[in-house]
Amino acid sequence: MSKVLLLFITLFTFLIQAKAQLLPLSTPSDSAKHYYYLGWKQIMDYADYTRAEQSYRKAIAFDPEFILGQSLVGRISPDIKERYEILEKINSKKHLATEDEQLVADVSVMLIEFLNAREEMDSVKTAEKIGIALQTGLQNFGLIGQKYPDEVYFISEYFEIVNYLYGPQKALDTLKSYNLSLKKPAPFLIGYESTLEAALGNYDNALELAYKLKKCFKDKKVPKPYVILGEIYLQKGDLESAYKYINKALELDPANRAVQRLKKRAEVVQKSNF
């Protein structure tokens, strides 16, 4: 067993045994906290970028000094000028947040810097920023996960980083270990497990999980299940089905940049087939 995998399994064995709790937020505004948590649910579980952005903006409207709220607006904002302004604010006010909040804010700062470099088409800087963001996220979200096992969205981002750095098999192994500690499966994690199975070529498992995710929402019209199904069918090479679900997701949230990127990937595959 590799040292990296052993570290991941040790971490999530600790999570299973730890007392569940959330990262304390330094904002005094209950409304800011409400919209902060709602925004996370909307973007991670529902894949609804439009409503998530609205919620994050409401959070900082109730408390403009809420650093984690500001950092999430920076990550989701399509306006590079606004992102630079938010970076300046976070860096000047970050010391007012708790040490644990600063760990999270540090990752957001690096991701915002990555978004700016990508939009400015600086390929060298883009590669540098994403590399730093991934390594910092692996460390910081790992620490947050150890202390606050109920922080499923930060832990989910940890799994995403593990996938980027070490591949889908290690990400799937650690995700399954963490799932053992959950009384109720988190929608994001069901969807992410599905995409990891697809990445490994396990399409039957992937589709079974995708439809399990769809059932979680019953009659609720959210993009997430369609995003996942679009991703699976694209990896499977079924472009007709992939477009069907990608277009449905975009119909529900036209501003969803993740789905827009997924559609561009499908278009590249389609062109390469001619």
Side-chain angles (χ1 to χ4, degrees):
M1 182 182 293
S2 72
K3 290 182 179 179
V4 170
L5 183 55
L6 181 60
L7 172 65
F8 296 154
I9 292 174
T10 301
L11 169 63
F12 288 101
T13 299
F14 177 88
L15 287 178
I16 291 168
Q17 298 170 346
K19 183 179 179 181
Q21 55 185 310
L22 292 170
L23 168 70
L25 301 176
S26 58
T27 176
S29 170
D30 288 338
S31 294
K33 292 175 184 177
H34 168 77
Y35 285 110
Y36 166 85
Y37 289 121
L38 179 60
W40 270 115
K41 187 172 193 64
Q42 288 165 328
I43 196 166
M44 298 292 275
D45 290 342
Y46 299 168
D48 193 329
Y49 277 54
T50 299
R51 287 185 172 83
E53 182 177 353
Q54 291 169 354
S55 293
Y56 292 146
R57 291 189 183 281
K58 286 178 181 178
I60 63 170
F62 281 105
D63 182 3
E65 304 304 314
F66 181 26
I67 294 301
L68 290 191
Q70 289 284 354
S71 71
L72 291 171
V73 172
R75 286 177 60 175
I76 204 169
S77 172
D79 184 346
I80 190 171
K81 181 180 177 182
E82 180 183 39
R83 293 199 299 265
Y84 271 114
E85 290 170 352
I86 288 172
L87 279 176
E88 185 176 349
K89 181 158 192 170
I90 293 172
N91 287 326
S92 65
K93 300 281 188 177
K94 192 174 65 175
H95 65 282
L96 300 175
T98 66
E99 288 185 8
D100 289 336
E101 286 177 307
Q102 289 179 41
L103 288 175
V104 175
D106 283 342
V107 182
S108 289
V109 163
M110 292 167 190
L111 288 171
I112 296 168
E113 289 177 346
F114 157 70
L115 292 173
N116 290 347
R118 185 173 65 180
E119 186 166 331
E120 292 166 345
M121 294 186 289
D122 185 332
S123 58
V124 174
K125 195 173 181 182
T126 298
E128 175 192 351
K129 294 296 181 184
I130 193 59
I132 295 171
L134 290 172
Q135 291 296 336
T136 304
L138 188 71
Q139 175 179 314
N140 291 11
F141 289 146
L143 291 171
I144 292 297
Q146 288 183 49
K147 292 184 70 173
Y148 309 106
D150 262 3
E151 283 291 356
V152 65
Y153 299 127
F154 293 135
I155 293 169
S156 295
E157 293 204 307
Y158 178 90
F159 292 135
E160 291 182 294
I161 294 170
V162 171
N163 183 30
Y164 282 124
L165 293 176
Y166 303 107
Q169 188 62 63
K170 285 188 174 65
L172 186 61
D173 291 340
T174 53
L175 187 153
K176 286 182 176 180
S177 296
Y178 176 65
N179 275 342
L180 294 175
S181 70
L182 298 177
K183 293 179 181 177
K184 182 180 179 181
F188 176 84
L189 294 180
I190 296 172
Y192 199 60
E193 183 178 354
S194 177
T195 60
L196 292 172
E197 290 281 14
L200 293 166
N202 304 325
Y203 299 117
D204 289 342
N205 290 350
L207 287 170
E208 182 179 349
L209 286 163
Y211 285 109
K212 177 182 177 182
L213 174 65
K214 198 169 186 296
K215 286 180 181 179
C216 289
F217 299 114
K218 298 181 180 177
D219 297 326
K220 190 186 292 285
K221 293 183 178 180
V222 298
K224 188 70 174 188
Y226 304 105
V227 177
I228 298 299
L229 286 164
E231 173 73 38
I232 293 169
Y233 280 110
L234 179 58
Q235 292 198 45
K236 196 176 180 182
D238 183 345
L239 279 174
E240 183 178 352
S241 296
Y243 273 120
K244 171 186 171 183
Y245 291 114
I246 290 169
N247 290 334
K248 179 63 177 178
L250 285 172
E251 179 186 321
L252 293 169
D253 182 18
N256 190 316
R257 294 195 296 277
V259 186
Q260 291 168 359
R261 289 193 295 272
L262 184 60
K263 188 168 186 176
K264 286 181 181 178
R265 282 173 50 202
E267 290 168 351
V268 169
V269 172
Q270 186 177 28
K271 288 178 182 178
S272 69
N273 289 341
F274 283 106

